[in-house]
Amino acid sequence: MNLPIVYDHQYVVPLPDGHRFPMGKFSLLYELLLKEKIIDFNDIYTPKLPENSLLELVHCPDYITGYCQGTLTDKAQRRIGLPWSEALVKRTCIAVGGTILTAKLALKFGLACNTAGGTHHAFPNYGSGFCIFNDLAIATCVLQQLKLVQKVLIIDLDVHQGDGTAKIFENDETVFTFSMHCESNFPREKQKSDLDVALPKGLDDDGYLQILSKYLPDLLSEIKPDLILYDAGVDIHANDHFGKLSLTDTGIYRREMLVLSSCIAEGYPVASVIGGGYAKDLKSLVYRHSLLHRAAKDVYKFYQL
């Protein structure tokens, strides 16, 4: 058995020309992984649309209905930052289904990767920052409801704080939220994760990895989670349009190897999502996202999962 990968062709829907969100990266990532034989067709799992009842484990029914029917206010839509369409509604929901499936596969095989996900700015009653429904939170609650897990650790290494996730689980002792993010970046008003590590602008590979290495081992030994959800945003890269850190491709790969090998070596299953990444040069951006899957494949093989 090879590393399980989750993908659906509905991960990509049309956006207006020139839109800041690089929607095309999801299909391009899938194509690159196949082309470079990081995965093959037998490794790919297709998600299902989740029932509204699963979305309601995290989000308010009125918000779900308003978004799905296209009746949110203009202000609420602007806060999300993506133009509403029926196709985007389906895309949003199937991506949530993808993270739910990735989490289930991680429990079965030890490690699994989505080719989308990481919508950590979505709050129970509103969306924000290109995030509509919080896939990390929903997947966590679904697996807890199914009694597949009790304690969950969310490792969020996107350059932006996982504010929605932090708010959702602020009073939930069964979920530990760890966000390591650029201090002077979106969102302006930060929430309180269980552990927040705010990074200075311009931090490079070695500085970043030293800080992460300081916190990760203690987190694992103290939390002892049944499952880890890992948001592997690549907007920490020096050339990212919305990032303010200075990591290289090599630094990102080292980060993925550090996180995945540390977790797997201790016996904790990991479900990974790709998180944020923004650049006009889609080829370079897609390569950065593929570093997660390259590292995951190496770790999966090394530990003979």
Side-chain angles (χ1 to χ4, degrees), residues 80-96:
I80 290 170
L82 294 168
W84 186 90
S85 69
E86 289 185 5
L88 185 60
V89 171
K90 185 169 284 189
R91 187 260 172 215
T92 298
C93 294
I94 202 72
V96 170

Side-chain angles (χ1 to χ4, degrees), residues 15 54 58 66 96 118 121 137 141 153 165 172 179 185 192 197 262 269 274:
L15 289 180
L54 300 185
V58 169
V96 170
H121 298 310
C141 292
L153 169 61
T165 314
D172 190 337
S179 180
N185 207 327
K192 184 171 174 41
V197 178
S262 297
I274 70 169

Side-chain angles (χ1 to χ4, degrees), residues 5-8 11 26 29-30 33 113-117 272 274 293:
I5 300 288
V6 175
Y7 175 77
D8 192 281
Y11 280 2
F26 303 104
L29 173 61
Y30 170 71
L33 295 176
C113 294
N114 200 355
T115 50
S272 299
I274 70 169
H293 305 83

Side-chain angles (χ1 to χ4, degrees), residues 205-206 209 249-259:
D205 291 353
D206 290 340
L209 292 164
D249 290 352
T250 300
I252 291 175
Y253 179 78
R254 288 170 63 195
R255 180 194 71 173
E256 314 306 31
M257 289 297 294
L258 172 61
V259 171

Side-chain angles (χ1 to χ4, degrees), residues 9 19 68 70 81 122 125 157 175 183 188 214 244 258:
H9 69 278
H19 196 280
C68 290
N125 59 340
L157 300 186
V175 182
E183 183 175 23
R188 184 174 62 181
K214 175 184 175 182
K244 297 182 180 181
L258 172 61

